[in-house]
Amino acid sequence: MFEIRVICDPSDVTAVSAALEQAFNTGAVRQMKSRTPGKERLYITADHRAESTTPWPTPEEAYAKAPSVISEIGWTARHVRDALKGADLGDTRVFWLRKAAVLDRIALDDARHGAEGDALVAAIEAAHRFRVCDASASDTYNGTPHDAGSDAAFMNPRGYPRQEYAAWIHQQ
Protein backbone atom coordinates (compact mmCIF):
# COMPACT_ATOMS: atom_id res chain seq x y z
CA MET A 1 0.00 0.00 0.00
CA PHE A 2 1.19 3.53 -0.74
CA GLU A 3 -0.09 7.07 -0.76
CA ILE A 4 -0.30 9.33 -3.80
CA ARG A 5 -0.27 13.10 -3.52
CA VAL A 6 -1.47 15.18 -6.45
CA ILE A 7 -1.59 18.92 -6.84
CA CYS A 8 -3.93 19.95 -9.64
CA ASP A 9 -6.45 22.49 -10.84
CA PRO A 10 -9.82 22.17 -9.07
CA SER A 11 -11.43 21.38 -12.44
CA ASP A 12 -9.17 18.31 -12.79
CA VAL A 13 -9.97 16.71 -9.41
CA THR A 14 -12.68 14.41 -10.78
CA ALA A 15 -10.65 13.31 -13.81
CA VAL A 16 -7.49 12.70 -11.77
CA SER A 17 -9.42 10.74 -9.14
CA ALA A 18 -11.11 8.61 -11.81
CA ALA A 19 -7.83 7.89 -13.59
CA LEU A 20 -6.15 6.80 -10.36
CA GLU A 21 -9.16 4.65 -9.49
CA GLN A 22 -8.81 2.85 -12.83
CA ALA A 23 -5.09 2.27 -12.39
CA PHE A 24 -5.09 1.26 -8.71
CA ASN A 25 -7.29 -0.01 -5.92
CA THR A 26 -7.87 3.29 -4.15
CA GLY A 27 -9.32 4.44 -0.90
CA ALA A 28 -11.18 7.67 -0.30
CA VAL A 29 -9.75 10.82 -1.84
CA ARG A 30 -8.83 13.41 0.77
CA GLN A 31 -8.95 16.90 -0.71
CA MET A 32 -7.24 19.95 0.79
CA LYS A 33 -6.31 23.42 -0.32
CA SER A 34 -2.84 23.62 -1.77
CA ARG A 35 -0.23 26.14 -0.78
CA THR A 36 -0.11 26.95 -4.49
CA PRO A 37 -2.85 29.51 -5.19
CA GLY A 38 -5.72 28.16 -7.26
CA LYS A 39 -4.71 24.50 -6.84
CA GLU A 40 -6.11 21.56 -4.88
CA ARG A 41 -4.11 18.95 -3.01
CA LEU A 42 -5.33 15.34 -3.18
CA TYR A 43 -4.17 12.45 -1.02
CA ILE A 44 -5.17 8.96 -2.15
CA THR A 45 -4.29 5.71 -0.43
CA ALA A 46 -3.72 3.13 -3.15
CA ASP A 47 -2.51 -0.37 -3.82
CA HIS A 48 -1.70 -2.25 -6.98
CA ARG A 49 -4.59 -4.12 -8.53
CA ALA A 50 -4.40 -7.85 -8.07
CA GLU A 51 -3.10 -9.54 -11.19
CA SER A 52 -5.28 -11.89 -13.09
CA THR A 53 -5.35 -15.41 -11.74
CA THR A 54 -4.12 -16.62 -15.12
CA PRO A 55 -0.33 -16.44 -15.11
CA TRP A 56 1.84 -15.04 -17.87
CA PRO A 57 3.83 -17.54 -19.92
CA THR A 58 7.27 -18.14 -18.50
CA PRO A 59 10.18 -17.12 -20.73
CA GLU A 60 10.87 -20.83 -21.28
CA GLU A 61 7.30 -21.37 -22.50
CA ALA A 62 7.22 -18.24 -24.65
CA TYR A 63 10.57 -18.74 -26.35
CA ALA A 64 10.69 -22.55 -26.57
CA LYS A 65 10.33 -22.52 -30.38
CA ALA A 66 12.10 -19.20 -30.98
CA PRO A 67 15.04 -18.90 -33.35
CA SER A 68 18.40 -18.08 -31.79
CA VAL A 69 18.97 -14.62 -30.36
CA ILE A 70 21.59 -13.99 -33.06
CA SER A 71 19.07 -14.89 -35.76
CA GLU A 72 16.46 -12.55 -34.27
CA ILE A 73 18.97 -9.70 -33.97
CA GLY A 74 19.81 -10.23 -37.65
CA TRP A 75 16.15 -10.24 -38.65
CA THR A 76 15.51 -7.04 -36.68
CA ALA A 77 18.58 -5.30 -38.14
CA ARG A 78 17.56 -6.26 -41.71
CA HIS A 79 14.05 -4.96 -41.03
CA VAL A 80 15.43 -1.60 -39.88
CA ARG A 81 17.86 -1.44 -42.82
CA ASP A 82 15.05 -2.11 -45.28
CA ALA A 83 12.86 0.51 -43.61
CA LEU A 84 15.64 3.08 -43.95
CA LYS A 85 15.82 2.26 -47.66
CA GLY A 86 12.10 2.95 -47.96
CA ALA A 87 10.92 -0.63 -48.41
CA ASP A 88 7.30 -1.51 -47.65
CA LEU A 89 7.65 -3.62 -44.53
CA GLY A 90 4.09 -4.76 -44.18
CA ASP A 91 3.23 -5.78 -40.63
CA THR A 92 4.97 -3.46 -38.15
CA ARG A 93 3.37 -5.48 -35.34
CA VAL A 94 5.65 -8.42 -36.10
CA PHE A 95 8.68 -6.12 -36.02
CA TRP A 96 7.78 -4.74 -32.58
CA LEU A 97 6.87 -8.21 -31.31
CA ARG A 98 10.16 -9.75 -32.40
CA LYS A 99 12.17 -6.75 -31.21
CA ALA A 100 10.51 -6.83 -27.77
CA ALA A 101 11.06 -10.60 -27.57
CA VAL A 102 14.74 -10.53 -28.52
CA LEU A 103 15.47 -7.68 -26.11
CA ASP A 104 13.60 -9.58 -23.38
CA ARG A 105 15.73 -12.66 -24.08
CA ILE A 106 18.93 -10.57 -23.92
CA ALA A 107 17.81 -9.02 -20.62
CA LEU A 108 17.02 -12.48 -19.23
CA ASP A 109 20.47 -13.70 -20.24
CA ASP A 110 22.09 -10.64 -18.64
CA ALA A 111 20.18 -11.33 -15.40
CA ARG A 112 21.26 -15.00 -15.41
CA HIS A 113 24.90 -13.94 -15.71
CA GLY A 114 24.72 -10.99 -13.31
CA ALA A 115 25.60 -8.56 -16.10
CA GLU A 116 24.60 -4.95 -15.79
CA GLY A 117 23.67 -3.04 -18.91
CA ASP A 118 20.93 -1.36 -20.86
CA ALA A 119 19.17 -4.54 -21.97
CA LEU A 120 16.52 -4.46 -19.24
CA VAL A 121 15.56 -0.84 -19.94
CA ALA A 122 15.53 -1.50 -23.70
CA ALA A 123 13.38 -4.62 -23.19
CA ILE A 124 10.83 -2.72 -21.10
CA GLU A 125 10.70 0.19 -23.56
CA ALA A 126 10.21 -2.16 -26.56
CA ALA A 127 7.57 -4.12 -24.65
CA HIS A 128 5.63 -0.93 -23.90
CA ARG A 129 5.90 0.16 -27.55
CA PHE A 130 4.61 -3.24 -28.68
CA ARG A 131 1.74 -3.15 -26.16
CA VAL A 132 0.73 0.34 -27.31
CA CYS A 133 0.85 -0.85 -30.93
CA ASP A 134 -1.49 -3.74 -30.07
CA ALA A 135 -3.80 -1.64 -27.90
CA SER A 136 -4.36 0.80 -30.76
CA ALA A 137 -5.25 -1.99 -33.24
CA SER A 138 -7.51 -4.30 -31.29
CA ASP A 139 -8.01 -6.81 -34.10
CA THR A 140 -4.36 -7.84 -34.39
CA TYR A 141 -3.49 -9.39 -31.07
CA ASN A 142 -4.17 -12.68 -29.39
CA GLY A 143 -5.14 -11.07 -26.08
CA THR A 144 -5.54 -14.36 -24.26
CA PRO A 145 -5.55 -14.32 -21.32
CA HIS A 146 -4.32 -10.72 -21.02
CA ASP A 147 -5.50 -7.87 -23.22
CA ALA A 148 -3.00 -5.22 -24.44
CA GLY A 149 -4.96 -2.47 -22.71
CA SER A 150 -5.34 -4.28 -19.41
CA ASP A 151 -3.83 -3.21 -16.11
CA ALA A 152 -2.04 -6.56 -16.00
CA ALA A 153 -0.29 -5.86 -19.32
CA PHE A 154 0.72 -2.40 -18.14
CA MET A 155 2.00 -3.66 -14.79
CA ASN A 156 3.95 -6.55 -16.37
CA PRO A 157 5.28 -5.07 -19.60
CA ARG A 158 7.56 -8.00 -20.47
CA GLY A 159 4.80 -10.54 -19.83
CA TYR A 160 2.58 -9.23 -22.60
CA PRO A 161 5.12 -9.72 -25.45
CA ARG A 162 5.90 -13.19 -24.09
CA GLN A 163 2.22 -14.08 -24.28
CA GLU A 164 1.89 -12.72 -27.79
CA TYR A 165 5.19 -14.21 -28.99
CA ALA A 166 4.16 -17.67 -27.79
CA ALA A 167 0.87 -17.35 -29.73
CA TRP A 168 2.62 -15.94 -32.82
CA ILE A 169 5.42 -18.51 -33.02
CA HIS A 170 2.89 -21.31 -32.59
CA GLN A 171 1.13 -20.08 -35.76
CA GLN A 172 4.35 -20.02 -37.81
Side-chain angles (χ1 to χ4, degrees), residues 11-152:
S11 62
D12 291 334
V13 168
T14 303
V16 168
S17 299
L20 289 170
E21 190 175 309
Q22 284 184 337
F24 303 103
N25 289 327
T26 59
V29 176
R30 296 178 320 278
Q31 189 171 344
M32 301 175 182
K33 291 286 182 196
S34 174
R35 291 184 185 110
T36 306
K39 302 289 183 182
E40 292 292 321
R41 197 170 23 155
L42 310 177
Y43 290 94
I44 302 108
T45 302
D47 204 350
H48 295 288
R49 291 194 181 276
E51 264 205 56
S52 167
T53 57
T54 307
W56 295 98
T58 65
E60 295 77 20
E61 294 167 338
Y63 305 130
K65 296 181 180 182
S68 72
V69 169
I70 298 298
S71 175
E72 289 290 76
I73 290 170
W75 182 91
T76 305
R78 284 188 302 279
H79 195 86
V80 170
R81 179 200 63 206
D82 293 346
L84 291 173
K85 290 182 178 180
D88 178 22
L89 302 174
D91 190 359
T92 57
R93 178 187 193 267
V94 172
F95 170 76
W96 285 107
L97 172 61
R98 291 177 79 170
K99 181 176 179 177
V102 75
L103 289 170
D104 184 38
R105 292 168 66 194
I106 292 168
L108 289 165
D109 191 56
D110 277 3
R112 271 192 295 276
H113 293 96
E116 292 184 28
D118 299 337
L120 178 60
V121 171
I124 292 169
E125 287 175 358
H128 275 301
R129 177 66 174 93
F130 171 66
R131 187 186 58 76
V132 167
C133 174
D134 268 11
S136 65
S138 61
D139 61 338
T140 61
Y141 60 84
N142 173 46
T144 305
H146 303 284
D147 185 273
S150 70
D151 291 341

